[in-house]
Amino acid sequence: MNHHPDSVRQRVAVLGSTGSIGVNTLEVIAQHPQQFEVFALSASTQTDKLLAQCVQFRPRFAVMVDHAQAHVLSQKCASLSLPTKVLSGAESITVVAEHASVDTVMAAIVGAAGLASCLAAAQAGKRLLLANKEALVVGGEYFLSAVKQGGAKLLPIDSEHSAVFQSLPDDERLWPEQIDKIILTASGGPFRRRDPATFSQITPDQACAHPNWVMGRKISVDSATMMNKALEVIEARYLFGVAPEKIEVVIHPQSVIHSMVQYKDNSVVAQLGTPDMKVPIAYGLSWPGRMQSGASALDFSAMADMSFESLISHGHAQRFPGLSLAWDVLNAAPGTPAVLNAANEVAVEAFLGHRIRFDQIHAVNLATLSAVLPTSVGSLEDLLALDAQARAAASQAVCQFSV
């Protein structure tokens, strides 16, 4: 682990800097130039957006996954006399994640593509701000082992997991004896009141119109199916070391309470805030302290009410069948959560590409779980092979359901 005195700025690598989490991270960092230095940025294909970030933050490195786009970015940086060295290829993201000069890594690459760099940062003992669900959903115990062996500090950035983390005792040794259950809140997305019989007619644009949060299209669809919550249940199980049956989900449409911890004495500690990702990002960057996030404060006088709905009420079990898969895969063979994650990524992509209907996302996930039975998962290669196998099975299922 790199340790620096408080007077020295924290060097941050923002992986996935052109996505919504990456952009919010840079907005928070820009408010605290005395505390943070942007050391590295990475993006897949958004050259112009990454160039603008390089102009503003002048990082030591910028990584473009696409080689042709990396060449374009390199020429543009040179023409502007920027000090930024441009690297290309997914393997270069791992290079900057484990770089000796990096203190903190914001892992905000969506999907299994972010797994290798998360593992590299963990093994290198970084402060790892985890916005990539897949590191835990796919990596599971293997990823946690890398965190432990590398001496990394893992800080969750998902609003729900950050809320749980903030509601727990500082001393992790007290968690098992004090926690009764973890309660994750869910907004219910755009279809909380929609008749499930009409789900076959839902369009990608409708599924991406979240009532509370501004997010990328993939995670917006996951919110609409509540598969995002299924992945968060899996994440919570690994992050906080609780049994699957100790994790509960409750629908809270206003998204003010981000999650809760119920203790053995039946008291409940909750974290509240405006639905703005800058809050958990600022907490992760400043932990164990706190700093200004740039998010607006809660206005209690403007809050008409806060309501909650059980998943077994209002027809939610029928509306969101994918959510129950979280507990199914956690109680199945190791590696099964990775199969579900890969299947869902393929299914959502197919839906966004108008190749399957919204209601067939769940069908593709079920078909893939039936087709792929994990064996041993002892290395990154095993995980990536399992991911590839599940994607192939999911793609086959998509072809069968294709509209």
Side-chain angles (χ1 to χ4, degrees):
M1 172 75 85
N2 295 322
H3 294 284
H4 293 273
D6 291 342
S7 59
V8 176
R9 293 191 298 169
Q10 232 184 93
R11 293 196 184 108
V12 184
V14 183
L15 311 182
S17 65
T18 58
S20 59
I21 297 291
V23 168
N24 275 303
T25 301
L26 292 175
E27 285 182 15
V28 173
I29 286 173
Q31 297 175 62
H32 303 277
Q34 302 307 312
Q35 290 176 251
F36 303 99
E37 172 190 339
V38 177
F39 184 82
L41 300 170
S42 87
S44 182
T45 56
Q46 296 193 64
T47 315
D48 290 343
K49 202 167 181 180
L50 186 55
L51 177 64
Q53 292 175 345
C54 289
V55 169
Q56 182 178 358
F57 293 97
R58 302 174 71 82
R60 182 94 58 88
F61 295 104
V63 182
M64 290 291 308
V65 174
D66 184 277
H67 295 284
Q69 297 291 337
H71 180 67
V72 172
L73 180 67
S74 182
Q75 288 185 316
K76 290 184 175 180
C77 286
S79 70
L80 294 169
S81 301
L82 295 179
T84 303
K85 182 177 181 180
V86 178
L87 308 176
S88 69
E91 64 281 357
S92 294
I93 300 176
T94 299
V95 170
V96 298
E98 63 189 8
H99 196 287
S101 296
V102 170
D103 305 303
T104 300
V105 174
M106 168 56 80
I109 296 172
V110 175
L115 181 58
S117 53
C118 282
L119 277 166
Q123 288 161 347
K126 306 302 183 187
R127 175 189 289 231
L128 181 52
L129 310 186
L130 193 66
N132 170 294
K133 285 179 170 56
E134 289 71 22
L136 282 164
V137 174
V138 177
E141 297 293 350
Y142 176 71
F143 177 68
L144 289 180
S145 173
V147 170
K148 189 173 181 180
Q149 288 174 9
K153 179 60 189 177
L154 187 62
L155 294 165
I157 298 301
D158 264 359
S159 58
E160 295 82 0
H161 300 104
S162 176
V164 171
F165 185 71
Q166 293 180 59
S167 301
L168 286 168
D170 290 338
D171 189 343
E172 291 184 23
R173 293 170 298 181
L174 300 175
W175 293 0
E177 64 189 63
Q178 293 192 2
I179 300 172
D180 182 46
K181 62 181 174 183
I182 286 171
I183 304 166
L184 301 177
T185 57
S187 69
F191 307 131
R192 182 174 58 91
R193 285 285 179 259
R194 183 158 173 156
D195 182 355
T198 69
F199 273 27
S200 62
Q201 299 159 29
I202 289 171
T203 67
D205 283 346
Q206 289 171 336
C208 291
H210 195 280
N212 299 340
W213 299 90
V214 178
M215 305 178 290
R217 285 172 76 77
K218 195 270 179 183
I219 195 169
S220 295
V221 175
D222 283 348
S223 181
T225 61
M226 279 190 65
M227 271 303 300
N228 72 319
K229 213 51 55 176
L231 298 175
E232 286 168 17
V233 168
I234 296 166
E235 240 189 315
R237 181 260 173 273
Y238 290 118
L239 273 171
F240 306 116
V242 295
E245 60 271 17
K246 294 282 189 182
I247 305 168
E248 190 178 304
V249 174
V250 64
I251 289 183
H252 168 49
Q254 295 80 18
S255 297
V256 171
I257 294 178
H258 297 309
S259 278
M260 301 171 268
V261 175
Q262 182 170 306
Y263 285 86
K264 293 284 175 68
D265 60 1
N266 284 334
S267 64
V268 177
V269 176
Q271 187 264 341
L272 287 71
T274 51
D276 188 326
M277 285 307 299
K278 288 195 283 290
V279 174
I281 288 167
Y283 183 71
L285 284 167
S286 60
W287 181 90
R290 290 185 184 266
M291 66 184 187
Q292 179 57 247
S293 67
S296 56
L298 272 181
D299 181 358
F300 288 95
S301 66
M303 288 163 54
D305 68 328
M306 288 201 291
S307 59
F308 303 90
E309 298 168 10
S310 157
L311 286 171
I312 56 174
S313 66
H314 302 86
H316 291 321
Q318 186 183 359
R319 201 172 273 115
F320 306 117
L323 181 56
S324 65
L325 294 177
W327 291 272
D328 293 344
V329 300
L330 283 171
N331 288 310
T336 309
V339 175
L340 174 61
N341 176 74
N344 185 62
E345 281 192 27
V346 170
V348 170
E349 186 182 356
F351 166 65
L352 288 171
H354 301 275
R355 288 183 287 131
I356 61 171
R357 301 192 311 262
F358 180 82
D359 60 320
Q360 291 174 324
I361 294 172
H362 181 58
V364 170
N365 291 340
L366 284 178
T368 308
L369 286 169
S370 298
V372 181
L373 300 174
T375 50
S376 64
V377 180
S379 67
L380 176 59
E381 289 70 30
D382 289 343
L383 288 170
L384 294 176
L386 180 60
D387 179 76
Q389 186 186 355
R391 285 172 194 276
S395 297
Q396 204 169 2
V398 165
C399 291
Q400 292 171 351
F401 291 114
S402 200
V403 293

